[in-house]
Amino acid sequence: MSDLLPGGDGVVRCAWAGTDAEYQRYHDEEWGTELRGDRPLFEKMSLEGFQAGLSWITILRKRPRFREVFSGFDPHVVAAFGPDDVDRLLQDAGIIRHRGKIQAVIANAGLVADMAEGELDALLWSFAPGTHTPPAAAAEVPAVTPQSTAMSAELRRRGFRFVGPTTMYALMQSSGMVDDHISGCWRAAA
């Protein structure tokens, strides 16, 4: 499989975006674009945790429902979820029904809610590498980096769950901390 794929619109993208319109929109408008703010980063962290072991397109298609049932990923609201909320969420076919992941989002929300405004943003972005060379080929894209490993370790030290090094590297890619658009993709850094 080629690392790049020309779309029906003539735009050359990273091949992982495929031909699905929603996946292409995500690639073009979100993935690798700088994302700042505690709430958006908490949402991204939560969704990346749900994605573990699954395809991102699955999460992307379920994202509107995730946002609805997790109160827009407002950490102060989600932190107050209790056992009845967990049971309710486990019955919702519109999301990934995994008890451990649901409980992790709630627990993580409590940790974020206890932080000062802007602290999660500053913490996560403190692990962004000072320089990053975009890959020339998909084979050059790592699954884990020293920075994602350090981010994961610090989050775990603080009590966060479902924040392994691979999941945190996916967060770094999706939130623009690194640019892993393949050389030749219209979004790749020049």
Side-chain angles (χ1 to χ4, degrees):
M1 177 181 187
S2 173
D3 294 342
L4 299 170
L5 182 67
D9 55 4
V11 175
V12 177
R13 295 178 178 87
C14 300
W16 63 259
T19 59
D20 181 277
E22 180 61 13
Y23 225 9
Q24 289 179 349
R25 187 211 57 75
Y26 176 75
H27 170 276
D28 293 355
E29 298 174 14
E30 292 185 57
W31 195 75
T33 299
E34 186 175 315
L35 181 68
R36 299 303 295 242
D38 293 343
R39 190 169 174 169
L41 286 167
F42 171 63
E43 174 183 332
K44 188 70 76 168
M45 179 191 303
S46 300
L47 293 176
E48 293 290 358
F50 272 108
Q51 185 270 332
L54 302 170
S55 167
W56 181 250
I57 191 64
T58 301
I59 302 303
L60 195 57
R61 289 183 178 139
K62 293 178 177 282
R63 184 167 62 174
R65 184 65 181 156
F66 272 114
R67 286 175 170 166
E68 184 178 343
V69 301
F70 281 102
S71 303
F73 288 95
D74 181 330
H76 297 282
V77 175
V78 177
F81 283 14
D84 289 344
D85 295 296
V86 172
D87 291 341
R88 170 182 55 84
L89 293 167
L90 285 169
Q91 299 305 312
D92 195 318
I95 66 167
I96 306 303
R97 296 177 289 180
H98 184 288
R99 181 178 297 277
K101 292 177 181 182
I102 290 168
Q103 290 173 328
V105 169
I106 296 167
N108 292 349
L111 296 169
V112 175
D114 288 342
M115 292 176 149
E117 184 67 32
E119 187 177 349
L120 179 66
D121 180 289
L123 173 65
L124 296 178
W125 276 90
S126 74
F127 294 97
T131 61
H132 179 77
T133 303
E140 295 178 14
V141 178
V144 174
T145 63
Q147 294 89 355
S148 73
T149 300
M151 179 190 286
S152 171
E154 177 58 20
L155 289 169
R156 286 177 173 172
R157 186 189 71 75
R158 291 173 179 239
F160 285 85
R161 296 167 25 201
F162 278 91
V163 291
T166 302
T167 300
M168 291 304 92
Y169 192 67
L171 172 72
M172 294 176 88
Q173 291 173 305
S174 65
S175 64
M177 293 178 198
V178 295
D179 177 6
D180 276 344
H181 287 281
I182 305 298
S183 179
C185 168
W186 80 271
R187 284 285 319 272

